Amino acid sequence: MSTRDDMLTRIAAALEGADRIPPPQREYGATTPLPDIAATFVERVEDYRAVVERVNPEGITAAVAATLTRATRVVVPPGLPREWVAALDGAEVVADDGDLSPDELDHFDAVVTAAAVGIAVTGTIVLDHGPDQGRRALSLVPDVHVCVVRESQLVGDVPESIAPLRHAVDAGRPLTWISGPSATSDIELERVEGVHGPRTLHVLLVSTDHPLPPA
């Protein structure tokens, strides 16, 4: 008998007659109950030093314009609703055709995209790079990212986000998970922003289910 077999035999003998603990209940994909999923999402996103603004659907255009008052060049995915950037006063708006180089993207002040999913508990936005979100470089190179998330796209926790993202994975598209502006820390734990992506993340949470009262 090998040492391994001897050890396992002795463990089995020691456990003989012992009470068995039932296996843990695993509920992958189960819904996380939250009293106010939108409020939780806003709170967690703000924890990352991102800006979150709640708007009604008809307020998206004005909110994008108010956010990007200083932008002179804005890039957008090819499938982004053009009315969202229709009120940008004096800014050049370019729809990405996939040919812009990283250096060319770096000369844009901001990017405006939609999103696929928002996760309330972690304050995370997920892009599945559909037509209204564009390729990954769009959300990584410009220094300001304005991201439009609809309340209907919010889920409670990470396991719940898997189902709505599956079609993108099956289609071979990448996923980009965004938790606040790009940030890292150096060896002395000094926070440095904008190293790996936008320094500013501005989220417009569209209240599709519970319209906001007039301002």
Side-chain angles (χ1 to χ4, degrees), residues 94 175 200:
V94 176
L175 302 177
T200 300

Side-chain angles (χ1 to χ4, degrees), residues 56-203:
N56 286 318
E58 60 273 17
I60 297 175
T61 302
V64 169
T67 302
L68 299 178
T69 53
R70 296 182 179 178
T72 58
R73 300 190 77 214
V74 177
V75 63
V76 299
L80 190 85
R82 294 307 296 260
E83 62 268 23
W84 289 3
V85 291
L88 288 176
D89 187 20
E92 178 190 8
V93 178
V94 176
D96 176 53
D97 57 6
D99 291 334
L100 294 170
S101 68
D103 184 60
E104 289 172 319
L105 287 174
D106 195 35
H107 287 79
F108 285 93
D109 300 307
V111 60
V112 181
T113 75
V117 172
I119 305 172
V121 168
T122 62
T124 302
I125 297 163
V126 187
L127 308 186
D128 68 3
H129 300 286
D132 57 359
Q133 298 152 56
R135 57 191 172 121
R136 292 196 77 193
L138 279 186
S139 60
L140 296 175
V141 179
D143 203 36
V144 177
H145 182 189
V146 179
C147 189
V148 180
V149 184
R150 299 182 184 277
E151 280 190 7
S152 58
Q153 295 175 308
L154 296 181
V155 298
D157 209 343
V158 173
E160 298 168 57
S161 70
I162 302 303
L165 294 171
R166 181 167 182 172
H167 70 284
V169 175
D170 290 342
R173 299 204 304 269
L175 302 177
T176 299
W177 301 63
I178 301 169
S179 296
S182 170
T184 188
S185 296
D186 62 16
I187 196 171
E188 296 182 340
L189 301 182
E190 293 292 334
R191 181 182 171 100
V192 180
E193 298 180 338
V195 176
H196 307 296
R199 272 185 293 190
T200 300
L201 174 64
H202 195 115
V203 179

Side-chain angles (χ1 to χ4, degrees), residues 7-24:
M7 180 181 65
L8 293 176
T9 300
R10 292 169 64 184
I11 291 174
L15 293 176
E16 187 173 353
D19 294 334
R20 299 292 181 181
I21 299 175

Side-chain angles (χ1 to χ4, degrees), residues 24-43:
Q25 297 295 320
R26 303 185 189 280
E27 299 179 350
Y28 297 116
T31 301
T32 301
L34 295 171
D36 189 335
I37 190 170
T40 300
F41 177 77
V42 170
E43 176 190 344

